[in-house]
Amino acid sequence: MNPTINPSILSANFCNIEKDIKILEKNSITSIHIDVMDGNFVPNIAFGIDQIRAIREITEMKFDIHLMINDPDKFIERFVDAGADNITVHAEACPHLYRTIELIKKYGVSVGIALNPATSIESLRYLYKLIDKVLIMTVEPGFGGQNFIEEMKNKLKDLVTIKEKYNYNFSIQVDGGINKDNVEEIVKLGVTDVVIGSSIFKNNEIEKNLKEIYSALKMEG
């Protein structure tokens, strides 16, 4: 089965984001990754609730909301109301992670847990049955355009082994430093959902860049 390609619109043209989204739709993209950053958990600020609500008015694509914020629980309902289809929170930002998972599920959207590069997958040992997605950060969160951390390949292999051994249903997502040159190798490790930002939107050549990624994966665009 082909992986989901989730363009990270953090790298889109903010002055003409509707045009970029329509190009994505034209090229078989069905989901977009939206980074929410608070300037606290990560050293950057991006995408508030009102911006997400405005984007929801121009597209029916799925919204994969990635909360890089502290204390996400108090914002969950508002992100759901803004149009979220999936909400991913960081394990490192949730002191009561089980409670946060249950809160997200209460609103009827899927739930993902993100792990920073230095965070062990062991931290999710007792939660795998409850979650829909595990996001392995392959760069430090907060900025686009970073290089893929090679050691994360071993982390992905370990996660795939656990998923297959116990027949868990969660999808495996990666975010950070993915491009046409390494995407095939990453997917072959067992990744089912790929977040790509800079490599899709670079030089305002979205269609060309997507075709190169599809070609690398031997997918129809």
Side-chain angles (χ1 to χ4, degrees), residues 1-8 24 27-34 61-65 85-86 110 132-135 163 170-176 178 183-184 186-188 190-197 200 210 213-214 217 219-220:
M1 188 173 72
N2 290 331
T4 298
I5 304 299
N6 246 319
S8 172
L24 294 175
N27 286 273
S28 304
I29 296 298
T30 59
S31 176
I32 52 176
H33 188 82
I34 304 177
M61 283 194 288
K62 291 183 178 180
F63 280 10
D64 183 32
I65 307 293
D85 295 286
N86 174 83
S110 63
D132 302 295
K133 177 184 297 186
V134 177
L135 167 53
K163 178 181 176 179
F170 60 81
S171 64
I172 298 177
Q173 185 178 64
V174 293
D175 183 0
I178 310 297
V183 66
E184 181 183 21
I186 299 305
V187 168
K188 283 183 175 179
V191 170
T192 53
D193 189 326
V194 186
V195 177
I196 307 179
I200 286 179
L210 272 173
I213 291 166
Y214 287 143
L217 292 171
M219 290 173 57
E220 295 291 332

Side-chain angles (χ1 to χ4, degrees), residues 30 33 71 73 98 103 114 134 141 146 154 203 205-206:
T30 59
H33 188 82
D71 197 12
D73 292 31
Y98 180 88
L103 176 62
V134 177
Q146 300 181 67
N154 291 325
N203 301 325
E205 296 180 316
I206 298 172

Side-chain angles (χ1 to χ4, degrees), residues 117-163:
T119 303
S120 171
I121 59 174
E122 181 67 16
S123 63
L124 300 182
R125 180 177 181 184
Y126 302 107
L127 300 173
Y128 286 126
K129 289 183 178 180
L130 302 176
I131 56 183
D132 302 295
K133 177 184 297 186
V134 177
L135 167 53
I136 300 297
M137 293 300 301
T138 46
V139 298
E140 288 292 345
F143 296 95
Q146 300 181 67
N147 292 327
F148 183 93
I149 300 173
E150 289 295 316
E151 183 60 29
M152 295 302 101
K153 292 177 185 177
N154 291 325
K155 191 174 184 178
L156 287 166
K157 289 176 184 177
D158 290 344
L159 182 60
V160 169
T161 297
I162 290 172
K163 178 181 176 179

Side-chain angles (χ1 to χ4, degrees), residues 23 51 81 105 163 187 221:
I23 294 173
Q51 290 174 296
D81 288 343
K105 292 170 83 71
K163 178 181 176 179
V187 168

